């Protein structure tokens, strides 16, 4: 049998790209490829790109430039670009980087093996269509190899919200949900391979409305069905929009035993004027009331969020609204960024806030968010939590896992294996993790 060819995938951005990279690696396994951690000995290099960060496309071009000597040394090396930059810049990438053999958008990954077979010797391929067929139906069944205790599972893609700063509706297309039966099949398969925690993924995951028995299923209905899978211990989902937090989903947080008490619910700003300019279609007050309802259902839930500061038109008064909202909510963890324009989005045409002022606001916001994060972490000391252990730590005898609140927890013990779910007493709190002791 010929030696397997080696595939190096570099993944940027969100968990959905991590999931897509796994699925592309699995699909290429059927074409005789095995994964490698090094581009140097690869037969194919694939960049799975993200368009969220500033100058995303330029970063992809400079990364590709680094592979030029590899291509020069091995003309048979195939280089591909996937992900959201591929979707947004497809033809431009082909024009600017002749060494790129193929460009594939996120909705066409099932065509990757076929494209790989076609390219080389000067032949190139570009596919950034939004095909009618569902790529998940055409991706091969996941191989049966054992895997770690946690897994991502994409259930929904695309977004119809059109926030003024965001490229997702353009790069990932309209909202589409996978049929419930397919999600349940994939979840059962993951559990058979050792997975104990599944994070359901979607750009707007709580807008999930997949076809299921008796009609369209909501995300809550899907979670309740997953709750019945023996061996699956934990369910999470991300990322959600406040307007899609339906009553059944809020109630599930209070009633569904396997749904973890952690919710990532971005708000972006605490100013109604800026929320309107962002086309978020909710108010700051509405968001705070929503958090209250969620906490009424599940009092210990840890809330995380996303913030953009210095959005075009943001004044100091608007920013004060953001600080007031953060104070009212009390976040356990957050991502916060200074606004930067994404080409092709409505906000990209608007005048920018003074960058020094925007940086100063970001520093003040992050100081408050860090204070809240540490206060919540410190409040965990003395509490008993359940920890799903995911890997060995850096120190001898140390194991690392995640609590139900998604805190990283370090425990020193030689009585823990990867995949164990154990009760742990938290004994100390560090900047980004907790320390614990195993309970009998
Ligand atoms: S809801 Fe999220 S994914 Fe959709 S446009 Fe807004 S920020 Fe982008």
């Amino acid at each position: 049998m010929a030696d397997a060819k080696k595939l190096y995938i570099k993944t940027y951005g969100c968990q959905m790209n991590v999931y897509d990279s796994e699925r592309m690696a699995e699909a290429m396994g059927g074409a005789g490829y095995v994964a490698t951690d090094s581009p140097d000995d690869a037969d194919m290099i694939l960049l799975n790109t993200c368009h969220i960060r500033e100058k995303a496309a330029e970063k992809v071009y400079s990364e590709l430039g680094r592979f030029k000597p590899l291509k020069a040394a091995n003309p048979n090396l195939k280089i591909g670009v996937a992900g959201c930059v591929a979707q947004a810049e497809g033809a431009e990438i082909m024009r600017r980087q002749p060494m790129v053999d193929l460009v594939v958008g996120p909705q066409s990954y099932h065509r990757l093996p076929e494209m790989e077979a076609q390219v080389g010797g000067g032949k190139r391929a570009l596919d950034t269509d939004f095909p009618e067929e569902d790529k998940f139906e055409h991706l091969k069944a996941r191989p049966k190899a054992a895997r770690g205790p946690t897994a991502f599972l994409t259930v929904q893609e695309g977004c119809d919200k059109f926030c003024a700063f965001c490229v997702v509706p353009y790069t990932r297309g309209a909202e589409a949900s996978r049929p419930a039966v397919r999600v349940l099949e994939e979840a059962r398969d993951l559990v058979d391979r050792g997975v104990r925690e599944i994070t359901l993924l979607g750009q707007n995951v709580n807008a999930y409305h997949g076809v299921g028995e008796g009609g369209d299923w909501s995300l809550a209905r899907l979670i309740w069905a997953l709750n019945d899978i023996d061996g699956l211990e934990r369910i999470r989902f991300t990322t959600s929009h406040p307007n899609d937090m339906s009553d059944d989903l809020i109630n599930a947080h209070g009633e569904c035993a396997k749904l973890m008490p952690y919710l990532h619910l971005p708000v972006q700003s605490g100013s109604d004027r800026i929320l309107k300019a962002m086309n978020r279609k909710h108010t700051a007050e509405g968001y705070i009331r929503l958090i209250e309802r969620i906490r009424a259902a599940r009092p210990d839930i840890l809330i995380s969020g996303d913030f953009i500061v210095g959005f075009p038109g943001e004044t100091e008064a608007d920013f004060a609204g953001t600080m007031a909202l953060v104070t009212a909510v009390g976040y356990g963890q957050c991502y916060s960024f200074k606004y930067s324009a994404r080409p092709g989005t409505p906000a990209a045409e608007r005048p920018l806030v003074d960058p020094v002022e925007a940086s100063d606001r970001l520093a003040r916001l992050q100081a408050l968010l860090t204070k809240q994060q540490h206060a919540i972490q410190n409040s965990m000391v003395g509490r008993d939590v359940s920890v799903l252990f995911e890997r060995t730590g850096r120190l001898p005898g140390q194991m690392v896992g995640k609590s139900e609140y998604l805190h990283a927890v370090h425990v020193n013990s030689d009585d823990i294996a990867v995949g164990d779910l154990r009760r742990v007493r938290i004994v100390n709190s560090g900047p980004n993790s907790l320390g614990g002791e195993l309970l009998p």
Side-chain angles (χ1 to χ4, degrees):
M1 201 175 97
D3 282 349
K5 290 175 281 184
K6 291 185 181 151
L7 171 66
Y8 171 75
I9 303 186
K10 181 157 183 181
T11 306
Y12 301 81
C14 66
Q15 297 107 324
M16 295 191 67
N17 268 11
V18 175
Y19 175 86
D20 283 344
S21 289
E22 279 181 17
R23 298 302 307 261
M24 283 192 280
E26 289 164 4
M28 292 305 290
Y33 278 87
V34 295
T36 175
D37 291 335
S38 161
D40 298 338
D41 65 346
D43 298 283
M44 181 172 181
I45 292 174
L46 193 59
L47 298 184
N48 191 8
T49 61
C50 168
H51 208 301
I52 292 289
R53 298 279 170 268
E54 202 172 1
K55 301 195 179 86
E58 287 313 313
K59 283 176 189 154
V60 170
Y61 289 119
S62 84
E63 184 73 34
L64 285 168
R66 267 181 242 147
F67 297 135
K68 239 180 202 153
L70 294 177
K71 183 86 169 179
N74 174 14
N76 293 326
L77 170 67
K78 293 177 179 175
I79 297 184
V81 181
C84 291
V85 175
Q87 186 66 42
E89 296 261 324
E92 181 66 7
I93 295 172
M94 295 298 250
R95 193 186 66 75
R96 273 181 64 176
Q97 286 287 0
M99 68 171 196
V100 169
D101 297 283
L102 66 91
V103 172
V104 59
Q107 300 312 321
S108 303
Y109 291 156
H110 55 295
R111 296 181 181 163
L112 185 59
E114 188 188 321
M115 291 173 76
E116 185 274 341
Q118 286 165 1
V119 301
K123 285 203 203 108
R124 308 167 80 203
L126 165 71
D127 190 340
T128 51
D129 291 347
F130 287 104
E132 284 294 305
E133 80 251 26
D134 175 359
K135 72 177 172 192
F136 295 107
E137 294 298 309
H138 292 265
L139 281 165
K140 284 191 184 319
R142 306 193 75 166
K144 297 292 174 198
R147 47 171 303 151
T150 64
F152 296 128
L153 202 175
T154 294
V155 301
Q156 182 276 339
E157 284 191 290
C159 183
D160 298 343
K161 298 284 191 289
F162 289 92
C163 297
F165 51 82
C166 183
V167 289
V168 165
Y170 311 101
T171 58
R172 294 275 178 159
E175 278 174 19
S177 299
R178 295 179 67 189
V181 64
R182 294 281 174 269
V183 174
L184 294 170
E185 269 170 19
E186 192 171 329
R188 283 190 206 99
D189 176 64
L190 288 167
V191 170
D192 287 347
R193 294 160 57 197
V195 169
R196 305 189 78 185
E197 173 181 307
I198 289 177
T199 301
L200 306 176
L201 298 180
Q203 265 97 22
N204 203 358
V205 71
N206 59 344
Y208 177 84
H209 55 270
V211 177
E213 203 186 310
D216 271 7
W217 282 24
S218 65
L219 184 66
R221 179 135 186 220
L222 184 67
I223 287 169
W224 276 109
L226 289 162
N227 196 61
D228 289 338
I229 296 179
D230 286 340
L232 179 62
E233 307 291 348
R234 292 174 156 194
I235 304 163
R236 304 182 188 275
F237 61 90
T238 197
T239 289
S240 298
H241 190 285
N243 289 3
D244 291 312
M245 280 307 295
S246 54
D247 288 347
D248 61 348
L249 190 54
I250 294 172
N251 293 338
H253 270 291
E255 295 162 4
C256 182
K258 294 180 183 174
L259 182 57
M260 292 294 100
Y262 178 98
L263 178 64
H264 183 64
L265 196 59
V267 60
Q268 309 297 359
S269 169
S271 154
D272 287 346
R273 215 176 60 82
I274 294 300
L275 287 169
K276 192 152 189 268
M278 288 175 163
N279 194 31
R280 289 288 296 177
K281 301 192 183 84
H282 60 77
T283 63
E285 183 65 18
Y287 178 86
I288 292 169
R289 297 284 91 84
L290 175 61
I291 298 290
E292 284 170 2
R293 286 170 55 216
I294 296 163
R295 286 206 169 115
R298 180 77 200 232
D300 64 338
I301 196 163
L302 189 142
I303 303 292
S304 83
D306 292 345
F307 289 90
I308 295 171
V309 298
F311 187 77
E314 185 190 76
T315 63
E316 186 59 29
D318 294 315
F319 177 67
T322 297
M323 295 292 271
L325 179 140
V326 170
T327 302
V329 171
Y331 287 93
Q333 203 241 339
C334 271
Y335 302 93
S336 51
F337 305 98
K338 193 164 69 167
Y339 172 78
S340 67
R342 297 293 168 271
T345 58
E349 310 300 322
R350 303 177 196 167
L352 292 172
V353 168
D354 173 48
V356 176
E357 185 59 34
S359 296
D360 176 65
R361 288 178 198 163
L362 182 63
R364 283 184 278 155
L365 175 65
Q366 289 184 336
L368 177 59
L369 291 168
T370 303
K371 199 168 140 202
Q372 292 189 338
Q373 178 189 325
H374 288 166
I376 289 180
Q377 283 177 204
N378 292 340
S379 75
M380 300 303 297
V381 175
R383 283 179 61 182
D384 298 346
V385 297
S386 79
V387 176
L388 178 59
F389 286 94
E390 296 176 11
R391 59 182 175 86
T392 54
R394 269 179 300 170
L395 303 176
Q398 191 182 55
M399 296 294 290
V400 187
K402 296 271 171 55
S403 76
E404 51 274 65
Y405 307 101
L406 211 56
H407 286 129
V409 180
H410 294 76
V411 176
N412 286 319
S413 169
D414 53 14
D415 183 32
I416 303 172
V418 169
D420 282 358
L421 188 60
R422 305 286 289 268
R423 295 296 295 169
V424 167
R425 178 154 301 158
I426 302 301
V427 294
N428 59 60
S429 163
N432 291 307
S433 63
L434 304 171
E437 286 170 358
L438 213 52
L439 289 168

